[in-house]
């Protein structure tokens, strides 16, 4: 017949462990250790895991991007934006039938690093100030994947972006930037310097950009995928050209990448204490006199 002895009394709870020779003593010590390390709860209480305020950038990031709910939301956004076909000439209306047949294979290739984005189609649109602005039109498939990536990465980066940044951010717009400038003018800031980062999207250094992205994103699969979009190339008059630098305007991921790269510039302007605002690659700095500049 097994004998019993009292191990300890803690928080009005008595732990009794059977002892059967050496084996019983070993089991007894192990149960005491487990009892000491177990979470303390009162009767009827439930334990809860703490939820972080911000998404963990290393917690199954690609799986979150490729989840059904995120992909469905991304497709709704791409479909609503409509847009022209890319180099594969597939219109939005034909994509659902294509996805039903091919998506599972494409989805499997993304974690493996085997997916290769299509080159973007280069088109030019006239600028109000003269000249033309080059746009890169991705295929519908690549717009979908880029949109899915942007939806997961934006909540990771956006909270730490500068207050001076107004472009392509939730709850912010060009109108908000105008209102900020108006407030400074009412405070006596009369001299404005209007600046445009010339050919910014065409001259982005890929290594510098990926370094900035890597500050918050540790999932190498995501970094590799973003890098493949940067290097996907551009199709001009039926001929593919390599893209050794730049971020093509026209894809859902480009606005977020541009904000990530320019955030250091925004933070530097904040340090200098000058009243200013930025929207995409345009920004304005205000001072009270030319001497103040």
């Amino acid at each position: 017949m097994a004998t019993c002895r009292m191990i300890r009394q803690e928080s009005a709870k008595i732990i009794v462990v059977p002892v059967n020779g050496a084996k019983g003593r070993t089991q007894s010590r192990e149960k005491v250790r487990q009892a000491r390390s177990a979470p303390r709860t009162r009767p009827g209480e439930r334990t809860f895991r703490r939820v972080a305020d911000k998404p963990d950038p290393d917690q199954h990031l690609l799986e979150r991007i490729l989840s059904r709910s995120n992909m469905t939301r991304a497709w709704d956004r791409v479909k609503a934006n409509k847009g022209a076909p890319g180099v594969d000439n597939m219109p939005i209306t034909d994509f659902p039938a294509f996805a039903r047949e091919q998506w599972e294979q494409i989805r499997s290739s993304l974690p493996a690093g085997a997916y290769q984005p299509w080159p973007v189609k280069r088109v030019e649109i006239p600028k109000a100030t003269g000249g033309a602005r080059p746009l890169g039109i991705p295929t519908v498939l690549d717009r979908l994947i880029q949109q899915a990536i942007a939806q997961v990465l934006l909540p990771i980066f956006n909270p730490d972006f500068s207050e001076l940044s107004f472009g392509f951010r939730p709850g912010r717009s060009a109108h908000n930037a105008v209102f900020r400038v108006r407030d400074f003018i009412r405070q006596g800031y009369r001299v404005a310097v209007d600046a445009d980062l010339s050919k910014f999207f065409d001259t982005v250094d890929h290594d510098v950009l990926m370094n900035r992205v890597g500050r918050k994103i540790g999932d190498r699969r995501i970094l590799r995928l973003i890098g493949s979009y940067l290097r996907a190339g551009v199709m001009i008059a039926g001929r593919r050209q390599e893209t050794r630098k730049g971020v093509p305007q026209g894809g859902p991921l480009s606005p977020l990448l541009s904000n990530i790269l320019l955030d250091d510039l925004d933070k530097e302007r904040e340090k200098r204490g000058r009243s200013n605002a930025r929207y995409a690659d345009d920004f304005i700095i205000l001072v009270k006199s030319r001497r103040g500049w």
Side-chain angles (χ1 to χ4, degrees), residues 59-201:
Q59 186 69 26
H60 308 300
L61 187 59
L62 186 57
E63 287 71 23
R64 286 162 49 198
I65 290 172
L66 297 177
S67 67
R68 178 180 292 273
S69 60
N70 189 57
M71 294 304 302
T72 299
R73 193 157 57 96
W75 168 243
D76 289 342
R77 185 69 178 269
V78 170
K79 182 171 60 174
N81 289 340
K82 300 180 181 179
V87 295
D88 62 351
N89 294 318
M90 181 184 297
I92 287 280
T93 52
D94 291 354
F95 184 78
F98 167 81
R100 281 192 290 271
E101 294 183 3
Q102 302 294 331
W103 174 244
E104 286 305 319
Q105 181 179 351
I106 294 168
R107 189 186 187 285
S108 299
S109 70
L110 288 163
Y115 178 75
Q116 180 59 50
W118 289 80
V120 298
K121 180 192 289 186
R122 172 64 60 83
V123 297
E124 293 187 344
I125 59 173
K127 297 173 65 175
T129 56
R133 181 187 299 275
L135 287 181
I137 303 177
T139 63
V140 177
L141 172 61
D142 285 325
R143 297 206 294 269
L144 174 65
I145 297 173
Q146 287 190 36
Q147 179 64 37
I149 296 171
Q151 288 174 176
V152 172
L153 264 57
L154 181 60
I156 295 173
F157 284 94
N158 187 63
D160 295 324
F161 280 152
S162 167
E163 288 298 311
L164 305 179
S165 172
F166 290 89
F168 315 114
R169 298 180 61 188
R172 289 174 168 245
S173 67
H175 288 93
N176 297 131
V178 171
F179 296 151
R180 179 184 177 92
V181 171
R182 181 194 63 184
D183 292 340
F184 285 128
I185 292 173
R186 288 175 174 173
Q187 295 171 32
Y189 291 84
R190 302 299 185 187
V191 179
V193 178
D194 186 9
D196 182 349
L197 298 175
S198 179
K199 298 183 179 179
F200 166 73
F201 287 92

Side-chain angles (χ1 to χ4, degrees), residues 5-17 32 35-36 40:
R5 61 190 177 91
M6 184 179 297
I7 301 301
R8 68 188 298 215
Q9 182 172 348
E10 182 175 271
S11 301
K13 182 178 180 180
I14 299 176
I15 302 173
V16 179
V17 181
V32 170
R36 287 175 176 170
R40 313 279 175 82

Side-chain angles (χ1 to χ4, degrees), residues 274-286:
R274 288 177 176 163
S275 306
N276 55 89
R278 179 179 66 82
Y279 188 93
D281 56 351
D282 297 301
F283 64 92
I284 188 169
I285 301 175
L286 298 102

